[in-house]
Amino acid sequence: MIQCRLCGKLFPLSEMSEEHYPAHSVGNDDIVALDIVKMADSFLSSELSERIIEETDAKAVLDDYFENELTKPLFPKGRTARTLCRDCNTFLGKYDEAYLKFFNCNGDPKIIRGFQKTTRIQIIKSIYGKFLSIPEAQEESFDFVDYLKDAKQLSYSGIWSIYFVQRDYSTDLFGLKDIGTSKMRFKEGVVYELSDDKFIFNLMNFPKHSCFEMTNIFDILNNGYTIVNGVGANGGYHAQALMSRLFDGM
């Protein structure tokens, strides 16, 4: 029997849903892994540079090389988990519909401020809900579960905060949008990471380090919010998470 992460009831595996994290519609499809060892060997050898010299279109050579030789299939149908019962997955799916609106307009504040407050709350709840499914958090007891279960509850005053950035060249190694998940430990507490094709989210149980510039997810309730693009020179939490995932796979 498996306990649903939202309602807390026990179900046989056959009655658990196979939910995508993040949602299938925001880039969680045909996930590949980067072969970092082969990548390092390629740059140390002359093989890649010789191929570029032989061809007139260097970009095409690099794109083909990364796609066909440096990546390998990881989750062909997307990253999924069985952490929610069918009813709870359907319930959270209503929040995901709101998040898709946010995703499709790139979180543009000029557009989001036209959304009803309830829609913006659903966007926030959708992101919190996805952290229930990541494998690194299965032993974590989150105090925002009741906030998610009550569709009418507008505020959350627990210990877990979510900060995010919009992806750009500084977040994606060689242009590859890694949407893996991670858990990072700091002396202040823990940070979890979850991302999709456009945004990177970090869930943490302590105040964000001031050196990392990010947007608090609850800021989208304010009409004048701004979205931080990229992670800057220090790499933010994402750089630590990315390097950890890359070397764990070696």
Side-chain angles (χ1 to χ4, degrees):
M1 302 290 281
I2 301 175
Q3 186 175 37
C4 173
R5 293 279 283 157
L6 187 63
C7 69
K9 298 177 182 178
L10 295 174
F11 297 89
L13 180 62
S14 61
E15 294 185 22
M16 298 293 284
S17 67
E18 187 174 10
E19 68 271 8
H20 283 77
Y21 63 95
H24 187 269
S25 58
V26 296
N28 187 8
D29 182 36
D30 193 16
I31 307 300
V32 298
L34 177 65
D35 189 335
I36 192 170
V37 175
K38 188 172 183 179
M39 180 183 70
D41 290 342
S42 298
F43 285 109
L44 290 174
S45 71
S46 60
E47 176 190 357
L48 185 56
S49 59
E50 290 175 355
R51 288 174 60 174
I52 293 175
I53 293 173
E54 293 173 358
E55 300 289 339
T56 56
D57 190 344
K59 183 178 184 303
V61 172
L62 289 172
D63 288 346
D64 178 74
Y65 191 72
F66 280 115
E67 180 176 352
N68 296 314
E69 299 191 40
L70 291 187
T71 59
K72 51 189 176 183
L74 188 60
F75 300 104
K77 296 182 179 180
R79 185 178 281 105
T80 62
R82 290 185 179 272
T83 58
L84 300 171
C85 69
R86 294 173 182 173
D87 287 344
C88 285
N89 189 37
T90 299
F91 175 77
L92 291 183
K94 297 177 181 178
Y95 297 154
D96 292 343
E97 292 174 5
Y99 177 71
L100 185 58
K101 296 178 181 178
F102 179 87
F103 178 88
N104 285 339
C105 70
N106 301 313
D108 187 341
K110 294 180 181 179
I111 298 176
I112 302 302
R113 69 185 181 188
F115 290 3
Q116 294 183 356
K117 183 176 181 179
T118 52
T119 301
R120 288 187 259 182
I121 292 292
Q122 289 175 341
I123 292 168
I124 293 170
K125 289 187 176 185
S126 171
I127 300 165
Y128 270 100
K130 290 304 176 187
F131 280 99
L132 295 177
S133 296
I134 69 172
E136 295 86 351
Q138 291 311 296
E139 301 302 318
E140 194 76 66
S141 179
F142 291 124
D143 65 4
F144 53 76
V145 169
D146 288 340
Y147 172 62
L148 299 180
K149 289 164 61 176
D150 186 351
K152 296 181 179 180
Q153 185 174 336
L154 302 181
S155 61
Y156 164 67
S157 57
I159 65 172
W160 295 94
S161 300
I162 291 179
Y163 290 86
F164 73 102
V165 298
Q166 191 163 31
R167 306 190 87 112
D168 69 0
Y169 68 91
S170 68
T171 61
D172 302 327
L173 186 63
F174 302 110
L176 296 174
K177 295 181 179 180
D178 176 86
I179 62 169
T181 58
S182 295
K183 179 179 182 178
M184 294 162 279
R185 299 182 185 276
F186 296 85
K187 62 181 181 180
E188 300 93 338
V190 297
V191 177
Y192 293 100
E193 179 163 293
L194 172 72
S195 62
D196 56 37
D197 263 4
K198 294 183 179 180
F199 302 98
I200 298 169
F201 301 96
N202 289 118
L203 172 73
M204 60 195 73
N205 61 356
F206 61 91
K208 177 183 67 66
H209 292 100
S210 59
C211 58
F212 298 151
E213 187 178 0
M214 306 180 77
T215 302
N216 188 308
I217 190 59
F218 278 94
D219 285 352
I220 71 170
L221 297 178
N222 306 319
N223 290 337
Y225 80 94
T226 58
I227 292 182
V228 175
N229 290 307
V231 292
N234 60 29
Y237 297 111
H238 179 62
Q240 299 178 51
L242 179 60
M243 296 309 296
S244 175
R245 290 196 294 270
L246 287 174
F247 286 104
D248 282 347
M250 292 178 62

PDB file of all heavy atoms in Angstrom, residues 45-55:
ATOM      1  N   SER A  45      39.950  16.428 -26.705  1.00  0.00           N
ATOM      2  CA  SER A  45      40.488  15.860 -27.937  1.00  0.00           C
ATOM      3  C   SER A  45      40.262  16.829 -29.094  1.00  0.00           C
ATOM      4  O   SER A  45      39.613  17.856 -28.954  1.00  0.00           O
ATOM      5  CB  SER A  45      39.812  14.519 -28.241  1.00  0.00           C
ATOM      6  OG  SER A  45      38.472  14.724 -28.640  1.00  0.00           O
ATOM      7  N   SER A  46      40.776  16.475 -30.248  1.00  0.00           N
ATOM      8  CA  SER A  46      40.631  17.340 -31.428  1.00  0.00           C
ATOM      9  C   SER A  46      39.471  16.906 -32.313  1.00  0.00           C
ATOM     10  O   SER A  46      39.218  17.517 -33.352  1.00  0.00           O
ATOM     11  CB  SER A  46      41.930  17.316 -32.248  1.00  0.00           C
ATOM     12  OG  SER A  46      42.217  15.985 -32.674  1.00  0.00           O
ATOM     13  N   GLU A  47      38.751  15.866 -31.895  1.00  0.00           N
ATOM     14  CA  GLU A  47      37.696  15.299 -32.733  1.00  0.00           C
ATOM     15  C   GLU A  47      36.643  16.331 -33.122  1.00  0.00           C
ATOM     16  O   GLU A  47      36.316  16.501 -34.304  1.00  0.00           O
ATOM     17  CB  GLU A  47      37.017  14.139 -32.001  1.00  0.00           C
ATOM     18  CG  GLU A  47      35.826  13.557 -32.765  1.00  0.00           C
ATOM     19  CD  GLU A  47      35.024  12.567 -31.927  1.00  0.00           C
ATOM     20  OE1 GLU A  47      35.431  12.285 -30.778  1.00  0.00           O
ATOM     21  OE2 GLU A  47      33.993  12.099 -32.426  1.00  0.00           O
ATOM     22  N   LEU A  48      36.107  17.040 -32.136  1.00  0.00           N
ATOM     23  CA  LEU A  48      35.023  17.976 -32.413  1.00  0.00           C
ATOM     24  C   LEU A  48      35.502  19.155 -33.245  1.00  0.00           C
ATOM     25  O   LEU A  48      34.826  19.573 -34.192  1.00  0.00           O
ATOM     26  CB  LEU A  48      34.411  18.467 -31.099  1.00  0.00           C
ATOM     27  CG  LEU A  48      33.181  19.379 -31.221  1.00  0.00           C
ATOM     28  CD1 LEU A  48      32.081  18.690 -32.027  1.00  0.00           C
ATOM     29  CD2 LEU A  48      32.659  19.751 -29.838  1.00  0.00           C
ATOM     30  N   SER A  49      36.671  19.704 -32.912  1.00  0.00           N
ATOM     31  CA  SER A  49      37.180  20.853 -33.662  1.00  0.00           C
ATOM     32  C   SER A  49      37.457  20.481 -35.115  1.00  0.00           C
ATOM     33  O   SER A  49      37.231  21.283 -36.030  1.00  0.00           O
ATOM     34  CB  SER A  49      38.455  21.393 -33.006  1.00  0.00           C
ATOM     35  OG  SER A  49      39.457  20.393 -32.950  1.00  0.00           O
ATOM     36  N   GLU A  50      37.926  19.264 -35.350  1.00  0.00           N
ATOM     37  CA  GLU A  50      38.182  18.820 -36.719  1.00  0.00           C
ATOM     38  C   GLU A  50      36.883  18.706 -37.513  1.00  0.00           C
ATOM     39  O   GLU A  50      36.837  19.059 -38.699  1.00  0.00           O
ATOM     40  CB  GLU A  50      38.909  17.473 -36.699  1.00  0.00           C
ATOM     41  CG  GLU A  50      40.348  17.568 -36.195  1.00  0.00           C
ATOM     42  CD  GLU A  50      41.003  16.204 -36.062  1.00  0.00           C
ATOM     43  OE1 GLU A  50      40.293  15.189 -36.265  1.00  0.00           O
ATOM     44  OE2 GLU A  50      42.206  16.152 -35.747  1.00  0.00           O
ATOM     45  N   ARG A  51      35.833  18.246 -36.863  1.00  0.00           N
ATOM     46  CA  ARG A  51      34.551  18.133 -37.545  1.00  0.00           C
ATOM     47  C   ARG A  51      33.994  19.508 -37.897  1.00  0.00           C
ATOM     48  O   ARG A  51      33.383  19.700 -38.945  1.00  0.00           O
ATOM     49  CB  ARG A  51      33.556  17.366 -36.670  1.00  0.00           C
ATOM     50  CG  ARG A  51      33.879  15.888 -36.575  1.00  0.00           C
ATOM     51  CD  ARG A  51      32.986  15.164 -35.597  1.00  0.00           C
ATOM     52  NE  ARG A  51      31.572  15.243 -35.950  1.00  0.00           N
ATOM     53  CZ  ARG A  51      30.617  14.581 -35.293  1.00  0.00           C
ATOM     54  NH1 ARG A  51      30.950  13.806 -34.269  1.00  0.00           N
ATOM     55  NH2 ARG A  51      29.362  14.695 -35.657  1.00  0.00           N
ATOM     56  N   ILE A  52      34.209  20.477 -37.009  1.00  0.00           N
ATOM     57  CA  ILE A  52      33.729  21.834 -37.271  1.00  0.00           C
ATOM     58  C   ILE A  52      34.478  22.447 -38.448  1.00  0.00           C
ATOM     59  O   ILE A  52      33.894  23.115 -39.308  1.00  0.00           O
ATOM     60  CB  ILE A  52      33.887  22.714 -36.013  1.00  0.00           C
ATOM     61  CG1 ILE A  52      32.936  22.217 -34.916  1.00  0.00           C
ATOM     62  CG2 ILE A  52      33.621  24.178 -36.336  1.00  0.00           C
ATOM     63  CD1 ILE A  52      33.096  22.940 -33.600  1.00  0.00           C
ATOM     64  N   ILE A  53      35.788  22.209 -38.509  1.00  0.00           N
ATOM     65  CA  ILE A  53      36.605  22.749 -39.600  1.00  0.00           C
ATOM     66  C   ILE A  53      36.165  22.173 -40.940  1.00  0.00           C
ATOM     67  O   ILE A  53      36.124  22.869 -41.961  1.00  0.00           O
ATOM     68  CB  ILE A  53      38.103  22.447 -39.344  1.00  0.00           C
ATOM     69  CG1 ILE A  53      38.591  23.239 -38.125  1.00  0.00           C
ATOM     70  CG2 ILE A  53      38.939  22.785 -40.578  1.00  0.00           C
ATOM     71  CD1 ILE A  53      39.998  22.883 -37.694  1.00  0.00           C
ATOM     72  N   GLU A  54      35.801  20.896 -40.936  1.00  0.00           N
ATOM     73  CA  GLU A  54      35.416  20.222 -42.178  1.00  0.00           C
ATOM     74  C   GLU A  54      34.066  20.697 -42.711  1.00  0.00           C
ATOM     75  O   GLU A  54      33.798  20.611 -43.911  1.00  0.00           O
ATOM     76  CB  GLU A  54      35.368  18.712 -41.951  1.00  0.00           C
ATOM     77  CG  GLU A  54      36.743  18.095 -41.685  1.00  0.00           C
ATOM     78  CD  GLU A  54      36.641  16.632 -41.301  1.00  0.00           C
ATOM     79  OE1 GLU A  54      35.496  16.133 -41.213  1.00  0.00           O
ATOM     80  OE2 GLU A  54      37.686  15.991 -41.082  1.00  0.00           O
ATOM     81  N   GLU A  55      33.202  21.196 -41.819  1.00  0.00           N
ATOM     82  CA  GLU A  55      31.863  21.618 -42.225  1.00  0.00           C
ATOM     83  C   GLU A  55      31.776  23.144 -42.296  1.00  0.00           C
ATOM     84  O   GLU A  55      32.525  23.856 -41.630  1.00  0.00           O
ATOM     85  CB  GLU A  55      30.818  21.097 -41.229  1.00  0.00           C
ATOM     86  CG  GLU A  55      30.785  19.582 -41.109  1.00  0.00           C
ATOM     87  CD  GLU A  55      30.212  18.915 -42.340  1.00  0.00           C
ATOM     88  OE1 GLU A  55      29.492  19.598 -43.108  1.00  0.00           O
ATOM     89  OE2 GLU A  55      30.485  17.709 -42.534  1.00  0.00           O
TER      90      GLU A  55
END
